[in-house]
Amino acid sequence: MRHSHPALVDPEFYVPGLPADYVAARYGIGAADIAKLGSAENPLGASPLAVQAIRERLDDLHLYPSWTAEPLREKISLVYGFEPERVMCGAGETEIISWLIRAFCEPGGRIQMPGPCFPIYHLFAEAEDRVPVLVHDATDRATMAVDVNAYIDAIGEDTRIVFVTNPHSPSGTWMAEKDVRRIVEAAPEALVVLDEAYVHYSDTGGYIHLVDDYDNLVVLRTFSKAFGLAGLRVGFGVGPKPVVDACLAVKPTWNMGVLQTAGAAAALDDKDHLDATVAMISKGRDHAQGRFAELDRFRMVPGSRSNFFLVEILDPGTDSTTVFDGLLERGVIVKDGSVSFRGLDRRFLRCDANRPDRMDRLVDALADLP
């Protein structure tokens, strides 16, 4: 059978963080002794209010859900102050990203993103026969932050979509509001997609309010991280009504089930869980920074305002894959930068910020490597 375009003949797949049970079975390590630091999951688990709301809707599984996830759209509109028709809900941010690519970039069109970046941007672009443009020259190799001037310079007249991730992935670095505005204003003919998946850890309210100022901006958020609902698969986007309407036209009709909408809506009320999660991540991130001062072969790249950070390998006698494998043998799961992020070379690992004891496991394992 012939494929419709070459990208699907031998496709590249997303590389998620390894599951703890796989590592436990392969290396004979007890599950309780695994430090899973490769998936940016919530160390406190799911929002208790979300779990309760899901249990209360189990008797409704025979019913079709609202095709627009209307109960969740309405709740998001109340919390963030936007009309429901400017909100779209998907099975994670990733589903919404696929709609935006399909609706706002024609086959062969150019989609700009930092290099390295969240891989879904370029994987979905290629799968839809669009052209991803990773702007590697816009990444400062010392800080791993995006150079806004270089990123703006790369925007062309034929650029259809411009991705901005804030905090950035994989570095966790933060972009100031004035710089986000500069990017949006530099691309009046393109759709700028501001991905705020990790914004709760930034100690700010984020820039979701900017969608009121621009007709070419969409802001995305997720329930997977700070709300602890990665297994439920819920994300949302806010933007101009014409953008949302276009996405509703291309999305699967019933993409959100009743448990997803009920759980996510309840999570928005769970301030206690959200605050405890953010405090735990901040404490763990600070603790890790102090512990990394003890190491001379590895450097924690500073400036992360997310629930992960980059570790640079300073020892020229090893590389990210060797270190990744060595950490697995010691029950610590991270991400090998050379495998997980296009353009991130063999000198970096991405590690979750987590409980202080798990940060100790990471640093102690790094110190134990030969």
Side-chain angles (χ1 to χ4, degrees):
M1 182 175 67
R2 298 184 66 182
H3 289 277
S4 59
H5 62 82
L8 300 182
V9 175
D10 185 21
E12 178 183 350
F13 298 107
Y14 179 73
V15 181
L18 289 175
D21 55 358
Y22 167 83
V23 176
R26 178 175 178 180
Y27 294 98
I29 302 170
D33 295 323
I34 301 293
K36 188 180 180 186
L37 304 174
S39 300
E41 293 166 340
N42 191 317
L44 299 183
S47 154
L49 291 187
V51 174
Q52 178 182 342
I54 289 168
R55 287 179 176 147
E56 292 172 355
R57 295 299 301 274
L58 291 177
D59 289 340
D60 293 336
L61 294 183
H62 64 295
L63 301 174
Y64 276 102
S66 162
W67 80 277
T68 60
E70 201 61 30
L72 182 55
R73 292 177 91 192
E74 292 175 354
K75 186 58 178 287
I76 291 168
S77 72
L78 288 173
V79 171
Y80 293 98
F82 299 99
E83 300 86 351
E85 58 266 24
R86 296 178 61 195
V87 179
M88 52 186 160
C89 302
E93 276 190 13
T94 51
E95 186 180 38
I96 300 174
I97 289 168
S98 73
W99 308 338
L100 292 167
I101 288 173
R102 196 173 306 137
F104 291 94
C105 184
E106 74 283 4
R110 293 161 61 88
I111 300 176
Q112 180 170 313
M113 58 204 71
C117 65
F118 180 39
I120 290 297
Y121 302 157
H122 58 79
L123 294 178
F124 278 10
E126 290 166 337
E128 295 286 352
D129 200 21
R130 277 66 168 173
V131 179
V133 180
L134 281 81
V135 188
H136 297 288
D137 291 344
T139 299
D140 184 311
R141 300 302 289 184
T143 65
M144 299 305 293
V146 175
D147 180 325
V148 175
N149 290 331
Y151 199 58
I152 288 173
D153 288 344
I155 299 172
E157 293 182 1
D158 57 349
T159 302
R160 299 292 184 256
I161 298 174
V162 177
F163 280 103
V164 179
T165 315
N166 203 37
H168 185 55
S169 178
S171 65
T173 51
W174 183 251
M175 187 179 293
E177 179 177 327
K178 64 180 177 60
D179 289 325
V180 174
R181 286 184 179 274
R182 288 174 58 209
I183 293 171
V184 178
E185 292 166 7
E189 302 303 318
L191 178 67
V192 177
V193 180
L194 175 58
D195 183 347
E196 292 193 329
Y198 311 100
V199 72
H200 296 95
Y201 305 108
S202 69
D203 195 31
T204 77
Y207 304 144
I208 198 168
H209 59 278
L210 294 184
V211 298
D212 280 336
D213 295 344
Y214 302 101
D215 61 7
N216 65 326
L217 175 65
V218 169
V219 176
L220 305 182
R221 292 199 177 180
T222 182
F223 288 86
S224 297
K225 310 304 180 185
F227 296 106
L229 301 180
L232 198 61
R233 308 309 307 132
V234 188
F236 71 92
V238 177
K241 186 177 183 299
V243 173
V244 172
D245 286 347
C247 288
L248 295 182
V250 301
K251 81 173 186 68
T253 305
W254 290 288
N255 64 311
M256 301 287 293
V258 293
L259 302 187
Q260 290 167 289
T261 56
L268 288 172
D269 290 328
D270 205 341
K271 186 176 185 300
D272 289 345
H273 183 263
L274 179 62
D275 289 347
T277 296
V278 172
M280 175 67 74
I281 295 300
S282 179
K283 182 178 180 180
R285 198 170 56 199
D286 291 345
H287 183 74
Q289 186 73 67
R291 286 296 317 273
F292 265 87
E294 304 169 16
L295 304 177
D296 57 6
R297 300 170 62 207
F298 305 95
R299 177 181 78 106
M300 179 177 169
V301 178
S304 175
R305 294 172 67 174
S306 187
N307 59 337
F308 52 77
F309 52 85
L310 284 175
V311 173
E312 183 177 9
I313 301 167
L314 304 177
D315 181 356
T318 190
D319 59 40
S320 61
T321 302
T322 301
V323 174
F324 173 82
D325 290 338
L327 290 176
L328 287 184
E329 294 172 2
R330 291 159 176 78
V332 178
I333 304 171
V334 297
K335 280 198 169 187
D336 176 355
S338 68
V339 173
S340 298
F341 298 95
R342 189 180 294 178
L344 189 60
D345 59 32
R346 299 174 70 87
R347 310 309 304 166
F348 292 93
L349 307 166
R350 201 193 82 170
C351 309
D352 295 354
N354 207 291
R355 298 182 336 219
D357 64 295
R358 292 181 179 174
M359 298 293 88
D360 287 336
R361 287 287 311 285
L362 169 65
V363 174
D364 291 345
L366 288 170
D368 188 54
L369 293 174

